[in-house]
Amino acid sequence: MINPIPLLEARAISKQFSGVPVLKGIDFTLLPGQVHALLGGNGAGKSTLMKIIAGVETPDSGELVINGKAWPRLKPSQAHEQGIYLVPQEPMLFPNLSVKENILFRLSQKPEVMTRLNEKLAQLDCHLNLQASASTLEVADQQMVEILRGLMREARILILDEPTASLTPGETERLFRQIRALQGLGVGIVFISHKLPEIRALASHISVMRDGAVVLEGETTAFTNEQLINAMTPVSRERQLSDTQKLWLALPGNRRTQPQDFPVLRVESLTGEGFLDLSFEIYAGEIVGLAGLVGSGRTELAETLYGLRPVRAGRIWLENRELGRDATKARLERGLVYLPEDRQVSGLFLDAPVRWNTVALNEPSLWQQQQREAAVVERYHRALGIKLNHADQPVRTLSGGNQQKVLLARCLEANPLLLIVDEPTRGVDVAARADIYQLIKSVAAQNVAVLMISSDLDEFPGLADRVLVMHQGALSGELAKSAVSVERMMKLAFGGTHA
């Protein structure tokens, strides 16, 4: 059998930022029709390598070989001409353009192009409103627009950076069907993910990166999950789980030392944008999951509780005091803290330093105390394993997973009474996920109420005390801890009932 000519070879790619090595002589190969998974912890260099392949970043040394032709460096336009398309972890859309204009940006809108777009939408079983403004899309739909951009440009090398981070199981399976169809057409796909079951279901080949180097490479079936996780974990990892367990206890001024008989949050007949007539309670020390398909109203509910969207009808109480029309600032001062789904658009001040982002919800007087800020950053740096060079580093320069950890640190530093976390492990590596789960449990153990939204239903059985499931803006059911299962949650999310 004749070996196929690789679509892509990265040879000895190296890159530094501010004198810090990020990539150290990386070799990487992608064959036609192959799904090659790229795995690694946050800050391992995965996204930087992919940006070099897509022409967004320039390597310091090494070369790319594409379809047999060597390129010391690529411009984005040249990468597109070579059939390379990067679907980034954080979608980059033009918010004021329509969905169709975003997908077909700089492409013809002739009838035959529209016919091909409609075919792609049908293949993906995708029901996007092409005339809607991109600013109205949830993260999962933004991700789908980015994928369609690549497919419409007839990409031969498709790079998917955490494509399923905000997709439901059904949407993930539809995406996988499309990926398998593209394989049959000879398209090579680089699949970056932290979800080992997805990698095993899709990828024939895997490379593991750690600290800017490929430390494990071969057929996916040749490695156990334990081998893959060990390869990702730094040899010098000194953090222990006990550090994370102790973190909340180290924070000043915990709001709760004793449980109470009344709920921390009580919602009665609440109606808002995207949901109707919701009633539920959350007690101190509870972790309550909120599940449902994208578009079911989960994020709209969270934003309404936090005061970012108006209440159309119904009432909200926080510790037996009605919120009424309190502004977001007043809700925050009373202990209602929200970690948003989209960290870059709604969460972080990307050009501000890490230390400022970490204390941004606190009193302004703290912002001016750089020594205090640096100490706060150091505490979370140790407990959450935030990978950074110094506290004054712009948060934009961190990897996506480390940005998420900074956002989580900010929410904890605000000393919550009720903590709402929307997709808290999105884009976070396997080891850090375990730490975040333990941290959420530790926070709840101090009688803080936690409402956790996640598209990854596998997170709920081992973490949530009970799960509320939404379907088309309504609560379709509630599952006690003993009844929480992916199958029951899925049934409720599609409007069914559970036995």
Side-chain angles (χ1 to χ4, degrees), residues 87-91 139-140 143-144 147 160-177 179 191-199 201-202 294 298 341 423 425-428 433 454-457 459:
V87 178
Q89 184 181 132
E90 303 291 343
V139 173
Q143 193 82 34
M144 199 59 69
I147 290 170
L160 304 179
D161 192 352
E162 298 283 356
T164 66
S166 296
L167 301 187
T168 64
E171 291 168 324
T172 296
E173 184 51 42
R174 287 197 295 272
L175 174 62
F176 282 11
R177 287 199 296 269
I179 289 174
F191 186 76
I192 303 175
S193 177
H194 293 123
K195 300 179 181 179
L196 295 179
E198 291 184 357
I199 288 173
L202 196 63
V294 172
R298 300 169 306 166
E341 176 186 24
E423 306 287 1
T425 60
R426 178 170 172 245
V428 173
R433 276 180 176 238
S454 179
S455 297
D456 187 350
L457 300 183
E459 294 188 319

Side-chain angles (χ1 to χ4, degrees), residues 143-159:
Q143 193 82 34
M144 199 59 69
V145 170
E146 283 280 15
I147 290 170
L148 285 164
R149 275 179 173 173
L151 298 181
M152 289 300 294
R153 284 157 178 78
E154 298 182 345
R156 298 285 295 166
I157 299 168
L158 187 62
I159 303 169

Side-chain angles (χ1 to χ4, degrees), residues 356-381:
W356 194 91
N357 271 278
T358 306
V359 301
L361 295 181
N362 294 74
E363 289 297 324
S365 58
L366 177 58
W367 303 351
Q368 301 167 8
Q369 301 175 21
Q370 292 194 17
Q371 186 175 0
R372 168 80 183 279
E373 291 175 3
V376 170
V377 171
E378 179 59 24
R379 181 166 69 246
Y380 288 105
H381 165 68

Side-chain angles (χ1 to χ4, degrees), residues 78-133:
Q78 293 171 322
H80 285 168
E81 291 169 0
Q82 295 301 311
I84 299 172
Y85 194 80
L86 167 64
V87 178
Q89 184 181 132
E90 303 291 343
M92 301 174 65
L93 306 186
F94 299 100
N96 296 323
L97 298 184
S98 70
V99 171
K100 182 177 76 172
E101 290 169 332
N102 268 277
I103 295 171
L104 301 180
F105 187 71
R106 291 191 172 180
L107 293 181
S108 165
Q109 296 193 23
K110 293 180 180 179
E112 55 268 29
V113 175
M114 287 305 303
T115 298
R116 190 155 59 88
L117 174 56
N118 288 328
E119 289 173 352
K120 296 296 181 186
L121 291 168
Q123 289 171 344
L124 281 172
D125 192 19
C126 182
H127 304 285
L128 287 171
N129 179 356
L130 296 180
Q131 307 309 318
S133 170

Side-chain angles (χ1 to χ4, degrees), residues 116-332:
R116 190 155 59 88
L117 174 56
N118 288 328
E119 289 173 352
K120 296 296 181 186
L121 291 168
Q123 289 171 344
L124 281 172
D125 192 19
C126 182
H127 304 285
L128 287 171
N129 179 356
L130 296 180
Q131 307 309 318
S133 170
S135 62
T136 65
L137 297 181
E138 295 189 358
V139 173
D141 288 334
Q142 294 176 30
Q143 193 82 34
M144 199 59 69
V145 170
E146 283 280 15
I147 290 170
L148 285 164
R149 275 179 173 173
L151 298 181
M152 289 300 294
R153 284 157 178 78
E154 298 182 345
R156 298 285 295 166
I157 299 168
L158 187 62
I159 303 169
L160 304 179
D161 192 352
E162 298 283 356
T164 66
S166 296
L167 301 187
T168 64
E171 291 168 324
T172 296
E173 184 51 42
R174 287 197 295 272
L175 174 62
F176 282 11
R177 287 199 296 269
Q178 182 63 27
I179 289 174
R180 293 183 183 110
L182 291 170
Q183 283 184 267
L185 299 175
V187 176
I189 296 159
V190 181
F191 186 76
I192 303 175
S193 177
H194 293 123
K195 300 179 181 179
L196 295 179
E198 291 184 357
I199 288 173
R200 292 201 176 279
L202 196 63
S204 62
H205 208 86
I206 190 167
S207 294
V208 180
M209 291 184 65
R210 185 181 72 229
D211 294 331
V214 174
V215 295
L216 198 69
E217 185 267 339
E219 297 294 322
T220 305
T221 54
F223 307 111
T224 65
N225 286 357
E226 184 178 7
Q227 287 174 311
L228 296 174
I229 292 171
N230 287 341
M232 285 189 295
T233 305
V235 176
S236 61
R237 188 180 189 230
E238 298 176 354
R239 265 188 317 128
Q240 301 297 324
L241 198 56
S242 59
D243 291 334
T244 305
Q245 291 172 319
K246 294 174 183 175
L247 171 63
W248 177 255
L249 296 174
L251 296 180
N254 289 337
R255 292 181 180 270
R256 283 288 157 261
T257 56
Q258 298 292 329
Q260 66 252 339
D261 294 331
F262 52 85
V264 171
L265 176 72
R266 179 158 62 98
V267 171
E268 183 179 289
S269 302
L270 189 66
T271 295
E273 298 174 9
F275 61 90
L276 177 68
D277 196 24
L278 304 184
S279 297
F280 61 90
E281 297 176 344
I282 303 178
Y283 285 81
E286 273 196 309
I287 301 172
V288 176
L290 186 60
L293 304 178
V294 172
S296 61
R298 300 169 306 166
T299 294
E300 290 85 350
L301 169 61
E303 292 179 348
T304 301
L305 294 175
Y306 195 52
L308 299 176
R309 293 175 183 260
V311 172
R312 293 179 177 174
R315 304 169 75 183
I316 306 170
W317 286 268
L318 188 67
E319 281 209 313
N320 274 351
R321 290 176 55 195
E322 189 168 1
L323 290 179
R325 298 185 179 277
D326 289 3
T328 295
K329 181 181 178 182
R331 296 174 194 228
L332 177 62

Side-chain angles (χ1 to χ4, degrees), residues 44-73:
K46 308 183 300 297
S47 294
T48 299
L49 175 61
M50 293 303 108
K51 287 178 181 178
I52 287 174
I53 293 172
V56 178
E57 296 283 358
T58 301
D60 297 330
S61 60
E63 66 177 5
L64 301 173
V65 180
I66 304 167
N67 296 313
K69 180 180 178 181
W71 296 80
R73 58 189 54 81

